[in-house]
Amino acid sequence: MKFPFTLLLLIAITHLPLRSYEQTASSVTEVTLNGLKISIDSQTGSIVGLEHPGAGKILEAKPERAGLIDMAYPIPEFEALRLASRFSKEVKIEKTDSAVIIHWNNVGASRTWVKRSGNVSATAWLQAMPDGKSVSLKCRIENKSEKDIGQVMFPDFHGLLPLGGREGTFLRTTGFVRKPFEDIKMTLYPEFYALDDKTRKIDTRDTYIHYGGRGLGNGDEMIGRWLDYGSLQGGISLFPKQWTGDEPTKIRINRLELDTNVRLMHVHSNAIKPGEQWESPEYVLTPHANGWAKGIETYRAFIESKVNRLFPVPKHVREGLGFRTVFMSRWYPEDGERDRSFTFSQLPQIAKEAKENGLDQMVVWHWFRHFILPIRDPYSNLGTPADLSKALKECDKEGVNVSLTLSITSISEPTASEYGLKVGALGWTYHPEMWPRFNPPYTKGRATTHAKVNDPRWQNDVMSSVKKVYQNYTHSITWDQAHTGVEKVWKQFLPLVKNTDPKATFSAEITHSAERLADYLDFTWNWESGSWFHHGMREYRDVRAFNAAFPAPRLNYNINRNAQHIKYAFMDNSYVNIMPSKPDGANGTAWIKDYPELGRVLKQCAQVRKQFLNYFVDGQLIGECLLTKPVDGAHINAYVLSDKVLLIVMNTEQTEKKINFNIDLAPWLSSKAGKYELRSYDQFGKQTGRNKTISHYWSGKTQALKHMDFTIYEFSLSEHK
């Protein structure tokens, strides 16, 4: 590669010593792209510094520990061998006003005694993007050697700083939020150091955590591919320009005793054979001031360009607080009355109760034998097909739309044999009188296998089954175990009702790719939402970034009897799934009236949501990003409209207290006069006190709030000068 003389001169001028480093650092090349100053070690090509006017100093690393590209290069003599930018020499760096290109003719190895035949070259491109605030990152690796490259880490950032201190620095994804400086601790315990199975503990005490971006899975699933590292003062957002069908996004965060700052890696597991080359996806890095809600704006625009809704989300789902789940039986109809929780004739009463408590959608499970195609008639111990049809019509008169669950992606006998398939040893067997309750090894009756969804027999049986539901019962279906492979049949049957019935819903349990399923689903039915077990024994799963970025579906938040957790879902704009259980019983087997606190909080949140509905439906959720510094013991959310902001502050501590907080309205609602009108409300929506005029910086203090009580503030543009 030949460089113009002026460019060579410019590079020479910018190769200045970086004083904060040890003697091993010779010089750095600096380039500023859309406000992000990137410092690159001139010898290795690794990134040793990132700084932004809004976020401040983001990354600082010594050259010998800095990163950008890292590869696994196992050889028989030393399978731990790495090739990485930090081990390299004689890098070529070419920069312009809008880009920098880094080229390694032979990426250096972690051991100098290793003899290699051939070389591995790499090129990385960092370029300012047209949006004026982001930087594009991409790399190409060419394997000109005789060995496989087993793994690639790119982008690989070493030395991310605690931007908000140990407690105020967050790694946020669309599926969870973690505190890397608290969650990853240096271990002094006698566990086997190589174990990597600690991602679900609150106190990880491990040096690394691995997260995946795919579906709405357990509490360590990213759901989407976006992440944000930073604090309320600023940070960086990062995501690859990838969509369904591309390789899963995997990230790993790491801290060591010798380097206590955070290392953040995107992991690519595909091998690069000798003579092959590999290109990374294009990554979008957005540095930002303020909180994550500023950084996610670029990702939200990307999502909007990709999501292609076939049908709009029904009005009652878009505006509603949530839905009611009913488990009709324990799935053994031969047990007669003892098996059933409700009869079909009771569904209208359940719907009436749901409506009185602010819920206008229901989902019904175990109304027939799952995993068999074509679907059979409903369980006889619950009522007749005519009873079910009549009950659903009466539910509709009560103002409640009912969805029937179909579990037919997995199949059991006799359907499996009819398709030429064999079921596995265990299946989906559960009952409160079994031990263990779920899939005991002595049960065989519900053993399943995955259907071959491209089999015309399966597709035809699905279509006839769905038509049976549409024609005889309801236009709304909840699909168990949904993934992208079944979208062919969805495209066939959804137009049958969605084009004519605006209340018809399609919901599902997402098992793969929330990205593609956003085209189809109105809301989700996933166990992982609000589940203590699935979320690593944490009581609250923070999915606000998903709610802020994706136009659909609405993510369900499961509530059994913990009425106070309804308020989390209400504040986050998640879709409450009320499924109370009888004592020692299955989910969704009790009445709401059995737990009066459930009804009280549901009515409260439904009324407040209705009062401020435009914020939840048309506003932009920015979470706690209105704050200028974190507030302990509180859950805080804000919603932004073009001329107003709504702020909700909830006390999450057990003791009653007043909550002090500081906000800055200017980044979210610009006022020419520099003034704003403030109204305050209690948790029932009643205005408290008189209106007053404030500036964009405001220090607030709530009244005394009991555990899980909240207060509301509404800010609007003021005409006062």
Side-chain angles (χ1 to χ4, degrees), residues 552-585:
R554 290 197 63 190
L555 295 187
N556 66 293
Y557 194 107
N558 298 333
I559 304 291
N560 187 333
R561 306 176 198 170
N562 193 330
Q564 298 303 322
H565 278 208
I566 296 170
K567 297 177 182 179
Y568 275 121
F570 153 72
M571 288 179 63
D572 292 1
N573 207 18
S574 294
Y575 205 40
V576 180
N577 177 16
I578 301 298
M579 45 192 298
S581 62
K582 293 179 180 178
D584 298 322

Side-chain angles (χ1 to χ4, degrees), residues 492-505:
Q492 293 180 55
F493 66 68
L494 285 176
L496 299 178
V497 294
K498 282 281 195 175
N499 284 327
T500 56
D501 185 354
K503 292 187 296 183
T505 63

Side-chain angles (χ1 to χ4, degrees), residues 146-161:
E146 297 179 355
K147 302 291 184 181
D148 288 356
I149 297 170
Q151 175 194 67
V152 178
M153 309 290 202
F154 177 86
D156 180 15
F157 295 116
H158 293 240
L160 290 168
L161 302 171

Side-chain angles (χ1 to χ4, degrees), residues 290-359:
N290 311 113
W292 60 268
K294 282 295 182 185
I296 207 171
E297 292 172 350
T298 308
Y299 181 63
R300 183 165 60 246
F302 175 72
I303 292 297
E304 290 173 353
S305 73
K306 290 292 186 179
V307 172
N308 182 25
R309 291 284 300 179
L310 299 184
F311 304 97
V313 175
K315 183 175 183 292
H316 75 277
V317 175
R318 193 172 65 253
E319 297 182 355
L321 175 67
F323 63 102
R324 169 75 155 95
T325 287
V326 181
F327 276 63
M328 298 296 298
S329 72
R330 295 175 175 181
W331 209 4
Y332 288 91
E334 292 80 8
D335 201 26
E337 292 184 7
R338 298 185 66 177
D339 183 69
R340 72 188 183 204
S341 304
F342 303 101
T343 63
F344 293 143
S345 62
Q346 291 177 295
L347 284 175
Q349 298 169 257
I350 300 172
K352 182 178 181 180
E353 180 189 59
K355 186 69 174 180
E356 291 171 348
N357 287 281
L359 308 175

